Amino acid sequence: MSVPTQWLLDSDPALRWQVERDLLGLPAETWRTTRARVATEGFGARLLAHQDDDGRWAGGAFFPGGQAYFEVQRAEVDPPQPWTATTWSLNSLREWGLDAAVLQANGTPGLLARHCRWEYDDLPYWDGEVDCCINAFTLANGAWLGVDVTRILGRLVDGRMRDGGWNCEWVEGATVSSFVSTLNVLTGLLDYEQIVGGDAEAREARRTGEEYLLARRLLRRWSTGEPIGPWTLRFEYPFRAHYSALRAADYFRRAALHDGVAPDERLAEAVEVVRAARRDDGRWVRDRRHAGEVWFEVDVAAGRPSRWLTLTGELLLRWWDGS
């Protein structure tokens, strides 16, 4: 089964440069030229155009409109998360490969320090807040933009649960880790380490968090061995803050390549979930769309083959199979 390479290359620069580098192994000059286009073409340029003069997006840190929307959100029952505010926009630009120099040149780090406050307790943006998932995003974004976010790093390291992972509901009394929170923090720690390096304590925190997920095969409850829920089997891009077998397994692929270690055998079940979802034509289908307001769509409608998911799935299987 061969991956449809030309179909993958016929994509936005935000995806194409990753196909060129990670799937095809093209010379650095080629994929770097494509990556530079993220600032001026396609998704990257469109998202940059939505940035406010004060450095924010949609007038808020985590929610559009800041505190006002936050109060509405708290008053409703399980409202959909909007994806247009500052943190989500920075996440996208970083993941798409935008050169940090673009935002450094327009003063974004300083503008956010002056004008952006968290909806929770009006805390300064680059100091983070109490939610470990939000802090993980901010850790990665700050490292990318050259901001000193070591205080956030320290809070994440110190905020582990006794079982080795994390739970964003710790402020509500949670005492055991969650799959979702642990994966989000692990991703932030890895991104930070890849950008600016890490230290022994941060690396140890990443190891305990990885063990939390690996001991559960990325999919199963520790107590009973039963599957944790159907949401682990979903195929959706953007990943946002959601958990899935694909996203979790892809984290371990990136971490293993960074650490120079072989795949852990406990990933096998999650990898086979991904393999089973590959169609005969070598593509993966986007089976749902996370609810919530977006600036614009970056993937196909649910039920259609997704280039983003296909690249992620193909890279995972090639790494696992050793090809």
Side-chain angles (χ1 to χ4, degrees):
M1 186 184 303
S2 60
V3 64
T5 303
Q6 189 55 50
W7 175 72
L8 287 172
L9 285 170
D10 185 19
S11 57
D12 190 273
L15 176 62
R16 181 180 175 115
W17 74 267
Q18 298 180 66
V19 176
E20 293 172 341
R21 185 191 69 176
D22 300 334
L23 190 65
L24 302 180
L26 297 183
E29 180 181 0
T30 300
W31 62 261
R32 285 175 178 161
T33 298
T34 303
R35 188 171 67 176
R37 293 165 48 200
V38 172
T40 58
E41 300 178 28
F43 299 150
R46 291 179 67 184
L47 189 49
L48 285 171
H50 286 289
Q51 187 177 20
D52 301 332
D53 291 340
D54 63 7
R56 299 181 296 175
W57 276 262
F62 202 71
F63 300 102
Q67 187 66 31
Y69 189 98
F70 180 54
E71 295 300 332
V72 171
Q73 197 263 358
R74 289 200 299 185
E76 295 182 6
V77 177
D78 197 26
Q81 167 73 50
W83 312 108
T84 53
T86 300
T87 298
W88 301 109
S89 296
L90 289 177
N91 284 356
S92 293
L93 291 170
R94 173 173 50 80
E95 291 167 3
W96 292 340
L98 179 74
D99 190 335
V102 174
L103 292 178
Q104 290 166 339
N106 71 7
T108 293
L111 287 169
L112 294 180
R114 292 192 295 274
H115 302 295
C116 197
R117 314 282 294 193
W118 292 109
E119 291 82 8
Y120 183 91
D121 280 358
D122 197 38
L123 296 170
Y125 189 74
W126 292 122
D127 285 353
E129 50 129 284
V130 299
D131 186 300
C132 61
C133 294
I134 293 175
N135 284 343
F137 302 146
T138 310
L139 179 75
N141 290 334
W144 169 54
L145 293 177
V147 177
D148 181 359
V149 284
T150 52
R151 290 180 60 186
I152 297 178
L153 178 66
R155 289 211 299 280
L156 288 172
V157 170
D158 293 341
R160 279 176 293 170
M161 297 287 176
R162 294 181 63 182
D163 56 18
W166 289 265
N167 193 322
C168 292
E169 299 298 324
W170 71 271
V171 291
E172 305 298 330
T175 58
V176 296
S177 299
S178 82
F179 281 68
V180 177
S181 299
T182 299
L183 179 58
N184 285 331
V185 174
L186 285 174
T187 301
L189 290 174
L190 178 61
D191 290 340
Y192 179 89
E193 190 171 328
Q194 289 179 324
I195 295 168
V196 301
D199 56 34
E201 289 187 347
R203 283 190 288 273
E204 175 60 19
R206 188 158 63 84
R207 297 291 179 266
T208 65
E210 290 172 351
E211 184 60 27
Y212 174 86
L213 294 179
L214 288 169
R216 294 157 176 79
R217 305 299 196 267
L218 278 61
L219 298 168
R220 298 188 175 275
R221 298 184 186 279
W222 176 260
S223 56
T224 65
E226 293 297 315
I228 56 174
W231 42 271
T232 64
L233 308 180
R234 293 169 178 165
F235 287 82
E236 163 66 327
Y237 182 86
F239 295 128
R240 308 293 190 192
H242 296 271
Y243 188 96
S244 68
L246 175 61
R247 183 183 174 218
D250 186 62
Y251 162 81
F252 280 97
R253 176 188 69 85
R254 295 197 305 115
L257 292 174
H258 174 74
D259 295 332
V261 299
D264 191 295
E265 64 180 12
R266 291 172 291 180
L267 298 171
E269 184 178 5
V271 171
E272 292 312 308
V273 165
V274 175
R275 192 190 306 277
R278 180 170 56 176
R279 301 196 323 181
D280 290 342
D281 63 3
R283 309 174 202 227
W284 277 262
V285 169
R286 186 191 196 202
D287 58 20
R288 71 189 300 272
R289 176 192 180 278
H290 297 309
E293 180 184 3
V294 297
W295 288 115
F296 48 85
E297 297 291 345
V298 298
D299 204 0
V300 295
R304 297 180 58 191
S306 162
R307 290 177 175 84
W308 295 99
L309 295 175
T310 296
L311 175 61
T312 305
E314 182 68 18
L315 291 176
L316 175 66
L317 295 188
R318 288 193 182 191
W319 167 73
W320 181 259
D321 295 337
S323 60

